[in-house]
C-alpha cells in the first residue's frame, strides 16, 4: 500500500519545492487468505473490483475537490503515480478521465485489462487524449 511512500521522501521534497503530494489508500479486503488493500483497476484480479468499489469515481472526486479547494494547484500539472495494482489504477484513471492528468508514473504495473472500456471500441478509447506515461519495471522481481 501507500504506507511506504512517505519513506521515499516525497513529503519532504514537496515541502521544500512547494508542491502537494496526496497518498490515497485502496480498500481493505481479504484476498489470498490475508488482509490486502487494492484498487479496482479493471484487471479483474483484485478484491476492490469484486466488491464493486468505484475507485475511478473516488479518485476523480479527490482530484476535483483538491482543485476546487486550492487555487494554488495548477490543473494542468496534476500527475498520478502508483506501484503494482496502484500503477494500473493510475493508467486506468488516465484513460478513463481523459485530460485530467498531465502524466502518469507507473512502477511495476502492467495493465491487463478485463474492463471493456480499455478495449478498442470502448467509450473511453474513442474520447481518449494521449497522456504521457513512464513505465518502470525491473528484472529482479520474478513474479
Amino acid at each position: 500500500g501507500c504506507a511506504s511512500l512517505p519513506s521515499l521522501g516525497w513529503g519532504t521534497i514537496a515541502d521544500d519545492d512547494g508542491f502537494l503530494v496526496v497518498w490515497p489508500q485502496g480498500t481493505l479486503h481479504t484476498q489470498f487468505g490475508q488482509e490486502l488493500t487494492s484498487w479496482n483497476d479493471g484487471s479483474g484480479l483484485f478484491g476492490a473490483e469484486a466488491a464493486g468499489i468505484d475507485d475511478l469515481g473516488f479518485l476523480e472526486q479527490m482530484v476535483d475537490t483538491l482543485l476546487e479547494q486550492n487555487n494554488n494547484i495548477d490543473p494542468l500539472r496534476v500527475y498520478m503515480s502508483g506501484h503494482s495494482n496502484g500503477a494500473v489504477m493510475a493508467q486506468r484513471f488516465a484513460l478513463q478521465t481523459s485530460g485530467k492528468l498531465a502524466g502518469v508514473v507507473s512502477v511495476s504495473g502492467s495493465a491487463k485489462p478485463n474492463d471493456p472500456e480499455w478495449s478498442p471500441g470502448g467509450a473511453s478509447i474513442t474520447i481518449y487524449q494521449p497522456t504521457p506515461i513512464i513505465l518502470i519495471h525491473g528484472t529482479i522481481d520474478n513474479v
Side-chain angles (χ1 to χ4, degrees):
C2 67
S4 64
L5 291 177
S7 68
L8 297 175
W10 280 110
T12 302
I13 295 168
D15 287 341
D16 292 347
D17 293 332
F19 62 90
L20 177 69
V21 178
V22 179
W23 288 288
Q25 183 68 32
T27 306
L28 186 64
H29 299 278
T30 301
Q31 191 169 357
F32 310 118
Q34 54 186 319
E35 293 292 308
L36 301 171
T37 57
S38 68
W39 294 101
N40 179 354
D41 65 7
S43 68
L45 300 173
F46 296 98
E49 186 167 356
I53 303 297
D54 181 14
D55 283 323
L56 189 69
F58 164 71
L59 291 171
E60 187 169 21
Q61 182 177 10
M62 181 192 72
V63 169
D64 289 346
T65 299
L66 287 168
L67 290 171
E68 289 168 10
Q69 293 179 354
N70 189 332
N71 292 331
N72 293 326
I73 300 173
D74 182 347
L76 301 177
R77 295 174 63 188
V78 175
Y79 297 85
M80 190 173 288
S81 177
H83 175 256
S84 189
N85 169 236
V88 179
M89 186 68 232
Q91 292 172 58
R92 178 183 187 193
F93 187 88
L95 174 70
Q96 293 183 319
T97 62
S98 192
K100 284 218 179 254
L101 298 178
V104 169
V105 177
S106 174
V107 181
S108 300
S110 296
K112 296 177 181 154
N114 189 36
D115 187 331
E117 288 290 319
W118 290 74
S119 303
S124 295
I125 297 294
T126 60
I127 62 165
Y128 178 69
Q129 296 174 349
T131 303
I133 298 178
I134 296 173
L135 300 171
I136 301 170
H137 297 278
T139 58
I140 294 174
D141 187 354
N142 61 4
V143 175

